[in-house]
Amino acid sequence: MPMPPLPIAPLPAPAGTRIAVHHLGDGGLDAPSAIPRHHALAGVLDAVIRSGGVRAGQQLPAEWQIADHFHLSVPTVRRALRTLADAGRISRLHGRGTFVA
């Protein structure tokens, strides 16, 4: 059963804190689409960042948490995060996590 959409709202936590996976919304990724899932996920995450739902310096949830939330594989999530990192929207620090740029 698909997860109902979750509201995307600005977080009260200061920069430098970890955000909860439910703040990422769901973006309708459960529906079949001609768009590759990693592109769709990158678009959803980018929209959350651009809307102010996540602030610069905040840490994104772990890859496995994002994968579980969106019902995707971890390699698909990695591809989406790599796309956002290449675009300068996030920074990935080995052993530390993924942060909004």
Side-chain angles (χ1 to χ4, degrees), residues 18-46:
R18 181 183 298 262
I19 66 162
V21 71
H22 67 269
H23 281 97
L24 300 178
D26 77 352
L29 292 180
D30 290 333
S33 172
I35 299 172
R37 289 191 181 257
H38 68 279
H39 283 301
L41 179 59
V44 168
L45 296 176
D46 191 44

Side-chain angles (χ1 to χ4, degrees), residues 3 10 15 25 28 41 43-44 47-48 50 54 58 61 73 77 84-85 95-96:
M3 181 182 280
L41 179 59
V44 168
V48 172
R50 288 181 188 275
V54 191
Q58 287 187 304
S73 68
V77 172
L84 292 172
R96 301 230 25 231

Side-chain angles (χ1 to χ4, degrees), residues 71-95:
H71 309 287
L72 299 170
S73 68
V74 171
T76 299
V77 172
R78 283 188 188 137
R79 267 182 97 176
L81 294 176
R82 189 176 328 122
T83 299
L84 292 172
D86 291 346
R89 305 296 294 150
I90 61 171
S91 61
R92 304 184 79 199
L93 302 173
H94 184 73

